[in-house]
Amino acid sequence: MNVLLSLSSFWSRVCNRLNLGKWSKYPSYWMVRVGVKPKVNFDSVQEADTFLQSLHPDPASSALCHNKVISPAEYDLQVVIPVYKVEQFLDACLQSVLEQKTKYKFHIVAVDDGSPDKCGEILTKYEADNRLSVIRQQNRGLSGARNSGMSIINARYVTFLDSDDMLAQGAIEKLLDAAYKHNADIVEGSYKRRTVRGKLWGGETALYEGISSRKSLTGYPWMKVIKAELLKNIHFPERYWYEDTIMGMLIIPLAKRVALIKDNVYYYTYNKDSISFVAAKNPKNIDGIYITRSLLSDAKQCGALEAAPDYQYHHYLQQIRNNRCRSLWLGPDIELAMFIISCDLWSEYFSSGYVCSKPNLKNMELALKNRDFNLFRKTCYIDF
């Protein structure tokens, strides 16, 4: 199985990189269809869910909460930095914020999430600076650390900065200039990737500047400023992987006015110790479908589903493909179980009044509607 998955994945990457066209991707699909078949049949969504729960239980965490948003706010921007096992990066991260030249008032909330290295000592050195406060807590994970840093918001906007990353010089000035100019709920900039040795490369650049649509935003919580009111009743669901999924399923749909700037505002450290590099065969990848299910329930409850129905629907179709990619190496039985649950969610939330308008997602829609597992696999290889 692993050999066939490796071959099919390799061939798909070659086809995408060389722009060989969708027909060239069929060998990848047929390798998996013929050689990587589920051994378990599920008669119901309950059986599929029980099977997944036996391998990795659903953390069952909600993104809905009650954060305290102070008004009028003392600061223009609150910078939330979760800190855990990043002693080699932390000084550079903090300095990248403290050295910002800006007319705006900002405050850093650094959350020491029970870090076992020297991060606590490094943070102590900075506590004398009134632009920074430190929260110390037992380890709650990335979501729990971010949530502590945003439980009290004393600023008009919030930005999230991971502690192995950096803000580009001028980031605060440029993002907030655009935020105030457009009265935007979210402003997103561009970013560069950064090696652990500090070399900049690649990244993503916004195609244009000014007022934009939700679909132009990425799903990252960083390289953005987000209006505090948007976060009053939302935080990151804890104990899940892929917690950033709240951006596309809750925060962006609730934003009524968004804007882009082309300036590089963020340096993302390309770290091979991250989840995406080291955890392909970890059962916790099943969290992809769990968090999707949880956030759909939250979205319905908080109004994010009806606030942007077309955006939500197309995001869901894409999300199901993402979940499959994340869990692919866990085997075809898990792949099938997650597909069955995805079909059930489609029936519950999107079976009435929703129509796919994106060509590369139409087969995904048909696969979920007709519960066609082979078409699901086919579209994951051919249409992306």
Side-chain angles (χ1 to χ4, degrees):
M1 180 189 80
N2 287 344
V3 173
L4 285 173
L5 282 177
S6 296
L7 287 172
S8 65
S9 297
F10 171 75
W11 182 247
S12 292
R13 289 196 299 272
V14 169
C15 293
N16 287 330
R17 181 161 294 186
L18 298 179
N19 295 316
L20 296 180
K22 64 187 301 182
W23 297 106
S24 64
K25 302 176 185 178
Y26 271 90
S28 295
Y29 162 63
W30 279 105
M31 274 187 261
V32 171
R33 177 167 180 175
V34 173
V36 187
K37 297 180 179 180
K39 297 179 181 179
V40 178
N41 291 318
F42 303 103
D43 294 326
S44 67
V45 66
Q46 289 78 17
E47 284 190 12
D49 188 54
T50 299
F51 172 73
L52 294 181
Q53 298 276 1
S54 71
L55 300 172
H56 168 59
D58 186 346
S61 174
S62 173
L64 302 183
C65 68
H66 297 287
N67 294 319
K68 182 178 180 180
V69 177
I70 297 173
S71 182
E74 183 177 356
Y75 302 99
D76 295 289
L77 183 67
Q78 184 161 314
V79 184
V80 177
I81 305 179
V83 178
Y84 186 77
K85 293 179 70 172
V86 287
E87 61 179 40
Q88 72 181 104
F89 304 107
L90 186 54
D91 269 314
C93 172
L94 295 173
Q95 288 296 332
S96 76
V97 185
L98 294 171
E99 294 176 358
Q100 292 282 313
K101 294 178 174 60
T102 178
K103 58 181 173 288
Y104 299 109
K105 290 182 67 177
F106 65 85
H107 189 75
I108 301 169
V109 181
V111 183
D112 181 356
D113 193 38
S115 187
D117 57 6
K118 295 182 179 180
C119 285
E121 297 175 25
I122 296 171
L123 289 173
T124 299
K125 295 188 304 181
Y126 287 90
E127 284 187 282
D129 194 320
N130 60 13
R131 295 173 296 171
L132 179 146
S133 59
V134 177
I135 297 173
R136 303 179 192 276
Q137 64 183 34
Q138 292 186 340
N139 182 257
R140 288 170 51 192
L142 177 59
S143 289
R146 284 174 174 168
N147 292 344
S148 293
M150 61 190 280
S151 61
I152 300 175
I153 302 174
N154 191 13
R156 292 190 64 185
Y157 287 89
V158 175
T159 193
F160 297 100
L161 172 61
D162 288 348
S163 47
D164 55 353
D165 298 336
M166 299 171 62
L167 289 187
Q169 186 53 252
I172 291 177
E173 184 82 359
K174 292 166 184 174
L175 286 166
L176 287 180
D177 276 349
Y180 286 126
K181 176 182 178 181
H182 300 295
N183 188 26
D185 294 317
I186 300 175
V187 176
E188 177 178 289
S190 304
Y191 81 94
K192 287 283 189 182
R193 291 189 179 93
R194 175 178 175 268
T195 68
V196 293
R197 295 183 178 180
K199 183 178 180 180
L200 300 178
W201 62 285
E204 296 181 28
T205 302
L207 297 177
Y208 53 88
E209 294 198 352
I211 292 297
S212 187
S213 64
R214 295 181 182 95
K215 64 182 180 181
S216 66
L217 300 178
T218 67
Y220 312 125
W222 36 266
M223 72 171 177
K224 296 174 175 65
V225 293
I226 303 168
K227 191 170 281 187
E229 286 296 323
L230 209 57
L231 301 173
K232 188 173 183 178
N233 297 305
I234 296 173
H235 68 184
F236 291 86
E238 298 189 29
R239 301 185 301 278
Y240 287 112
W241 279 0
Y242 312 119
E243 62 283 323
D244 292 353
T245 308
I246 69 163
M247 292 302 301
M249 295 188 69
L250 295 185
I251 295 174
I252 292 174
L254 288 171
K256 296 178 180 178
R257 193 172 178 85
V258 304
L260 298 175
I261 60 173
K262 288 186 176 182
D263 302 271
N264 287 315
V265 298
Y266 198 94
Y267 298 145
Y268 170 78
T269 302
Y270 202 62
N271 187 353
K272 290 189 177 181
D273 291 328
S274 67
I275 289 173
S276 58
F277 280 100
V278 302
K281 295 183 180 181
N282 192 318
K284 198 158 173 56
N285 281 295
I286 297 171
D287 277 352
I289 190 62
Y290 290 157
I291 198 171
T292 301
R293 179 168 61 187
S294 177
L295 290 176
L296 279 173
S297 176
D298 289 344
K300 184 176 182 179
Q301 187 174 337
C302 75
L305 201 59
E306 64 183 30
D310 184 70
Y311 173 88
Q312 284 277 23
Y313 184 46
H314 290 90
H315 183 275
Y316 176 76
L317 296 177
Q318 179 66 54
Q319 183 68 29
I320 297 309
R321 192 261 182 176
N322 294 347
N323 292 342
R324 190 252 181 190
C325 290
R326 291 163 175 168
S327 60
L328 181 62
W329 290 93
L330 299 181
D333 294 339
I334 290 176
E335 180 188 6
L336 176 59
M338 291 177 65
F339 171 72
I340 290 172
I341 294 174
S342 300
C343 294
D344 189 67
L345 292 173
W346 183 90
S347 296
E348 180 177 356
Y349 291 98
F350 301 111
S351 59
S352 177
Y354 292 86
V355 178
C356 178
S357 60
K358 294 185 177 181
N360 72 314
L361 293 174
K362 284 186 176 295
N363 281 330
M364 180 65 75
E365 179 182 53
L366 286 174
L368 295 171
K369 180 180 180 179
N370 298 324
R371 299 178 181 266
D372 187 334
F373 183 58
N374 285 327
L375 179 59
F376 167 70
R377 282 180 146 186
K378 180 179 178 181
T379 188
C380 285
Y381 279 105
I382 306 302
D383 294 329
F384 294 89

